Structures are given as structure tokens and as C-alpha cells.
Amino acid sequence: MKRIQITPAWYFSDESGNQIDPTLFALLEAIHRYGKLTQAAEDAGVSYRHAWNLLKKWEQFFGTSLVELTRGRGAQLSPLGKKLLWAEQRVIARLGPQLESLGSELNLAIQQQLEGVQPVLRLHASHGFAVELLPRYLQELSLDLQYCSPREALATLNRGACDLAGFHLPQGPVGQQVIRDYQGLLKPRSHRVIGFISRHQGLMVAPGNPLGVDGLSALAGRKVRFINRQATSGTRALLDGLLSEAGIRPNAISGYEVEEYTHSAVAAYVAAGMADAGFGVEAAAQRFGLDFVPLAQENYLLVCQQRSLHDSRFMRLLEILRSEDFQKAVSALPGYAPHRCGQVIETTELLLSPRS
């Protein structure tokens, strides 16, 4: 089936109206990944000569080098080259989930126009790398995936505006604090929980961890520049719980009030050198070449109405979650693992024991 995919783009222009060729960003990303201009050109889909001319053109545009070529060491991005790359990555990371949600709405509308009204599984969930896998494995279902905060997802489920809500719950004592925020939204009589995955969260720091950040205590004292997640996110709730548990005041952390909206956006912020540390998942840290200090493990869970479990859409969902192929894909994500994946859990069990 043909699908709409919305990709963000941005342009750097001067007073004469000259604009950067988008191919330059693909070339810079490939140089960063491979460290060789020949391999980077092939990955970007251009000839070596075109890649060379492109770099020289835009180095002249900026008045400084974008790539440093050294005999025996290959190609490395210059400081400006890195800034341009991470700026583009921040745009994609920040806007990506919103554009995915919009793309899901448009694809659903077009599909129903072409094929007639089909059963739709409406999933509202906190954004995450494992959730991103679901559309690929639920292709035979019409999946309407909308990203939102955990509380918004659960509230939408209670209003009947979605069929499935996703949220994450820390393991350990912090989980007992976080579950209290969800108690008014989780209905033991009418809701059922579906196990999904577990993942590690922690501090993302520059390669080699030059400041020796080994835990939350290193953030206090305002010597380490920090980038935070937005206040409504489940990751922010986890961080605040860990800070409270450690007796660390948020106002002691430099940058606590500065927010980004996805794990990848936080990682890109740190990779760009705009902060020394950020809080998020290991998969985002590895994607941006950062070191990772694990601090907590949490479960990502799905919630539905009990009566929905007899619906053919949910039967197929559970079948896919329990499949070896899907669970292998989850396990391939750094810091992720299937956890009771596809298992139906009584809501009272979750409320009474959020630790496991």
C-alpha cells in the first residue's frame, strides 16, 4: 500500500537567496558515520566528484571548512560541519513524532477513501523507539498512531477517543510514586493492561564522558549543562522521581528549565555540544554516538478496555506482540527488551505492584 511520509526540511540562505542543497546534509551524516568521503558519497547517492564539489561550494558559502581530510585518518566533520549536522538532526527529532501522527491521519483518510471504511485500531501513546516498530508489524491493520503524553493517552482512552493507550512506568520505588499520578485514569474494573517492553533510561553524555558524569549527583552544583524533557512527559516524571529520591533540588541543576520533546532531540542537543548531559533512553544515546550512564529501568505498557480483548483487531495485535519476529526487533534496540510482551495483565496487579 502506498503511504504518505512527511519529512521535515529546513534551509540555510544568505542575502543573495543562495540555499543549501539538502544533499549536503545526507553527505555530512554519511561522513560522520563512515569517516571516508568515497563511502559517504556512495551512501548519499552521488559521485565522488559531485560530493567534493558540493563540499567546496558550501565551504566557500560559509567561509570555513565543513570537512577535514587527513591522510591516513580519512574524513572528519569540522566543528561547523558537526553543528550543521546536529541542527538538522534536532529538527527531525523534534518534529518527527508530530509529523508521524499527521501522516498516520492522512494515510488512514486516503486508505478509507480508496478501500472503503475499514476497522481501525486507534493507538495514542507516549513516543518511543519500540512504539515506532508497530506500524511495520501491523500492516494488515489500519493503525491510527497518535503520539501524546502518557496522561493524555489514558485520558483519551477514558473518553472513548482511542482504543489503546501507551504509557511507561518505572520499576522500583519511583514507580510507586508515578503510579499515583495514573490511579485516577486507570480503571481496574474496565481496563486491562497489555505487557509490551522494558527499557533503560539514564544520562546521555559526550563520547568518552569528559566531565566524568556518573550519576544525578554530578548534575548538582550547576557545573554540568543539562537538557531536560518537557514537564508532561513520562521521562520527566521518572527524572523528577529519581531527583526526589536522591534529595537533589531541580534548581541546583543548570539547564533543568530547558526542554526538548523527544529522546532523540535531547541526544542531538548533547551531540551538538549545547549541553553536557541529557536524560533519556540508551537507544537515542547510541544513535547519536553518545556515552550512556544507566540509572533506571521502566516498563512500557499498553492499556485497553476489557471488552476490546475479544475484538479481532486486538487478537491480531496480541498475536504480533507475542511473535518471535517482533520481539527480536525490540531486542535489537539498545537498552530495550520484550517484557511480558502480549500478556494481558489485571489492572489491579499493576496498581498494587508497579515494581515488576
Side-chain angles (χ1 to χ4, degrees), residues 76-87:
Q76 294 182 332
L77 296 184
S78 71
L80 177 60
K82 291 179 181 178
K83 292 291 185 184
L84 287 174
L85 175 60
W86 299 137

Side-chain angles (χ1 to χ4, degrees), residues 128-139:
F129 290 92
V131 176
E132 285 183 348
L133 295 174
L134 287 174
R136 189 190 315 168
Y137 287 86
L138 292 171
Q139 290 182 353

Side-chain angles (χ1 to χ4, degrees), residues 27-83:
L27 185 61
L28 293 176
E29 197 278 331
I31 290 171
H32 175 72
R33 188 186 322 137
Y34 298 116
K36 293 183 179 180
L37 184 56
T38 51
Q39 194 169 358
E42 181 180 351
D43 187 77
V46 298
S47 68
Y48 180 87
R49 178 184 293 273
H50 182 71
W52 177 262
N53 290 337
L54 191 65
L55 290 173
K56 290 304 174 184
K57 175 182 178 179
W58 295 109
E59 285 177 352
Q60 185 176 6
F61 175 83
F62 286 108
T64 187
S65 65
L66 299 178
V67 176
E68 298 169 352
L69 300 173
T70 308
R71 180 172 296 178
R73 294 181 57 192
Q76 294 182 332
L77 296 184
S78 71
L80 177 60
K82 291 179 181 178
K83 292 291 185 184

Side-chain angles (χ1 to χ4, degrees), residues 203-210 213 270 276-278 285 289-293:
L203 294 172
M204 297 181 273
V205 297
N209 196 1
V213 176
V270 175
D276 302 309
L290 303 173
D291 281 8
F292 182 74
V293 181

Side-chain angles (χ1 to χ4, degrees), residues 169-178 245 297-299 354-356:
L169 185 63
Q171 297 181 12
V174 174
Q176 295 177 327
Q177 300 176 33
V178 173
E245 189 177 52
Q297 189 167 5
E298 64 179 6
N299 299 330
R355 298 190 177 203
S356 59

Side-chain angles (χ1 to χ4, degrees), residues 150-329:
R151 287 190 61 85
E152 289 171 336
L154 290 170
T156 303
L157 177 67
N158 284 320
R159 293 198 305 269
C162 73
D163 306 302
L164 196 63
F167 73 104
H168 37 109
L169 185 63
Q171 297 181 12
V174 174
Q176 295 177 327
Q177 300 176 33
V178 173
I179 195 66
R180 285 196 283 268
D181 292 334
Y182 296 139
Q183 280 184 334
L185 296 168
L186 291 168
K187 313 294 185 183
R189 291 186 178 181
S190 57
H191 287 166
R192 289 298 178 267
V193 177
I194 300 173
F196 189 39
I197 58 95
S198 67
R199 63 186 187 182
H200 287 108
Q201 294 233 48
L203 294 172
M204 297 181 273
V205 297
N209 196 1
L211 297 182
V213 176
D214 57 1
L216 293 176
S217 60
L219 304 180
R222 311 190 74 79
K223 293 181 181 179
V224 176
R225 296 171 302 156
F226 184 68
I227 175 66
N228 210 343
R229 285 292 304 278
Q230 77 274 23
T232 58
S233 69
T235 294
R236 176 68 167 270
L238 170 58
L239 173 65
D240 287 347
L242 292 173
L243 290 174
S244 176
E245 189 177 52
I248 299 173
R249 293 178 294 105
N251 61 11
I253 299 173
S254 176
Y256 178 87
E257 70 285 354
V258 183
E259 300 178 347
E260 276 290 359
Y261 287 82
T262 67
H263 295 283
S264 292
V266 169
Y269 202 96
V270 175
M274 300 172 66
D276 302 309
F279 192 77
V281 296
E282 184 176 355
Q286 188 167 125
R287 180 171 292 185
F288 284 83
L290 303 173
D291 281 8
F292 182 74
V293 181
L295 295 179
Q297 189 167 5
E298 64 179 6
N299 299 330
Y300 198 114
L301 303 157
L302 305 173
V303 184
C304 67
Q305 300 289 345
Q306 180 184 9
R307 62 179 181 272
S308 299
L309 293 172
H310 303 291
D311 189 301
S312 60
R313 296 169 302 161
F314 280 82
M315 292 179 182
R316 181 57 182 150
L317 170 68
L318 295 177
E319 182 181 342
I320 291 171
L321 294 181
R322 294 165 182 166
S323 70
E324 182 179 357
D325 285 348
F326 180 76
Q327 295 192 19
K328 279 185 176 179

Side-chain angles (χ1 to χ4, degrees), residues 80-98:
L80 177 60
K82 291 179 181 178
K83 292 291 185 184
L84 287 174
L85 175 60
W86 299 137
E88 192 224 12
Q89 292 295 318
R90 282 187 66 206
V91 170
I92 294 172
R94 179 180 286 185
L95 299 180
Q98 296 172 322

